[in-house]
Amino acid sequence: MKKGKKLYEGKAKIIYATNDKNLVIQYFKDDATAFNNQKKTTIEGKGVLNNRISEHILSNLSQIGIKNHLVKRLNMREQIIKLVEIIPIEFIVRNVATGSITKRLGIEDGTVLKEPLIEYCLKDDKLGDPLISEEHIFAFDWASKVEIDKIKKMVLRINDFMIGMFRGVGIKLIDFKLEFGRTKIDGKNDVILADEISPDTCRLWDSITEKKLDKDRFRKDLGDLIPAYTEVAKRLGILHEQSNVSAVNVTKLSSVKRKKK
Ligand code: TMP
Ligand code: ASP
């Protein structure tokens, strides 16, 4: 597989072409952003951990029949993925109210929801990823009814699976964000899970202490982001108990370089 030119650079990842027109390489950067790029830094080793954690979760989801873009992990920072047309919607799933919903609706932080809540946001950084309704999605043709129905079923299945997977390792899945892409499977149009699932895109709390093991450590200036992500990777069995991210210098991994707040 030959790595070609850069096709797209996002806040946390870069997509490169390959010599196969249907496949691209997804590179995980160490950049961390929050609140739509208002707060930025580089945290050495974050990309390595997210690459591994996302690979683990997407491979497990494949095994329960959730089609997704992952083909295989190439190295510490890169994966081969299927090229898809990303649907411009962020699908947010909430099991417990925290973050933006508590501010937006005045809900008490930590309120356990009766049922998982799916929210849609338009994927547009300049507009600050605004919350939208299904009616907006259909009115502006951001996705079809068939696609949304299919995605909603997948989203709830993914939530059920991930709640169980994390519960088994002493972590509560509070909320997370998913993205989906259009592709052709055997000549037929389909939608598959894309992007990443990692502590950057989920809120993960220790089941007993409720310690935050996700990007809120950066958003809220709690520090120790790498130890928290490493803890998630270890509990999922991706890293051995003693090891920090293999082949990467531990001290380098822990150092946080602040660029700009
Ligand atoms: P929020 O409380 O800020 O709306 O975030 C809800 C969840 O979605 C949380 O797990 C973080 C994740 N998320 C992203 O991964 N990317 C985003 O752009 C946003 C807004 C949220
Ligand atoms: N992903 C968004 C950003 O990087 C928002 C967030 O995760 O807080 O700005």
Side-chain angles (χ1 to χ4, degrees):
M1 174 84 33
K2 265 211 198 114
K3 188 165 164 183
K5 66 171 200 289
K6 191 200 276 190
L7 296 178
Y8 170 82
E9 178 156 2
K11 295 194 291 289
K13 297 183 292 295
I14 306 174
I15 303 292
Y16 294 95
T18 71
N19 48 338
D20 182 330
K21 68 175 181 10
N22 297 314
L23 301 177
V24 290
I25 290 172
Q26 171 164 261
Y27 175 96
F28 286 77
K29 302 196 280 186
D30 283 339
D31 296 353
T33 66
F35 315 115
N36 290 312
N37 241 347
Q38 288 175 42
K39 184 169 171 174
K40 268 197 219 175
T41 193
T42 303
I43 304 176
E44 262 186 86
K46 180 175 79 73
V48 174
L49 285 158
N50 283 347
N51 183 20
R52 295 290 296 270
I53 295 170
S54 192
E55 175 205 16
H56 178 84
I57 298 176
L58 266 61
S59 315
N60 276 282
L61 286 171
S62 272
Q63 284 171 23
I64 61 151
I66 302 289
K67 290 181 206 154
N68 64 66
H69 72 168
L70 179 70
V71 177
K72 70 168 196 153
R73 186 169 61 82
L74 270 182
N75 53 45
M76 298 288 276
R77 287 191 183 270
E78 294 176 318
Q79 324 181 322
I80 301 177
I81 58 168
K82 290 183 193 140
L83 178 64
V84 296
E85 179 201 341
I86 291 285
I87 294 174
I89 299 167
E90 299 195 340
F91 297 83
I92 312 278
V93 189
R94 300 183 189 272
N95 297 306
V96 175
T98 192
S100 70
I101 195 170
T102 58
K103 297 185 191 93
R104 197 184 336 121
L105 302 177
I107 309 290
E108 194 184 337
D109 197 278
T111 305
V112 178
L113 302 177
K114 277 199 296 245
E115 282 178 14
L117 172 68
I118 304 179
E119 290 181 334
Y120 308 103
C121 293
L122 181 65
K123 197 172 146 60
D124 187 325
D125 278 344
K126 281 193 234 96
L127 298 177
D129 296 343
L131 186 73
I132 51 171
S133 67
E134 263 188 39
E135 282 73 14
H136 289 107
I137 297 176
F138 304 141
F140 301 112
D141 273 332
W142 288 320
S144 70
K145 176 100 178 48
V146 172
E147 286 173 333
I148 292 297
D149 286 348
K150 214 183 242 183
I151 289 172
K152 276 205 288 197
K153 281 196 193 125
M154 289 167 85
V155 160
L156 293 175
R157 187 90 207 286
I158 293 168
N159 187 41
D160 276 349
F161 173 81
M162 293 213 317
I163 287 177
M165 178 187 76
F166 281 118
R167 186 184 288 145
V169 297
I171 292 174
K172 281 197 257 189
L173 177 63
I174 303 301
D175 61 25
F176 58 102
K177 186 257 318 187
L178 298 173
E179 294 184 28
F180 290 82
R182 300 187 176 100
T183 185
K184 272 202 161 50
I185 297 179
D186 300 328
K188 270 178 53 190
N189 292 334
D190 210 347
V191 280
I192 63 173
L193 175 66
D195 194 52
E196 70 175 288
I197 303 181
S198 71
D200 265 14
T201 62
C202 301
R203 284 200 176 91
L204 304 169
W205 295 358
D206 179 88
S207 300
I208 295 166
T209 63
E210 302 212 324
K211 180 179 171 186
K212 292 174 172 48
L213 301 171
D214 57 64
K215 203 168 86 172
D216 269 355
R217 300 211 70 83
F218 166 64
R219 292 190 191 96
K220 294 172 175 278
D221 288 322
L222 300 173
D224 285 342
L225 180 138
I226 291 296
Y229 283 32
T230 303
E231 177 70 24
V232 172
K234 280 183 180 168
R235 291 203 200 172
L236 290 174
I238 301 167
L239 299 178
H240 298 299
E241 267 315 303
Q242 289 86 351
S243 71
N244 274 282
V245 178
S246 50
V248 178
N249 182 308
V250 178
T251 47
K252 259 175 100 184
L253 266 177
S254 306
S255 70
V256 176
K257 284 189 291 181
R258 288 262 144 147
K259 260 197 212 151
K260 186 178 123 201
K261 250 197 191 173

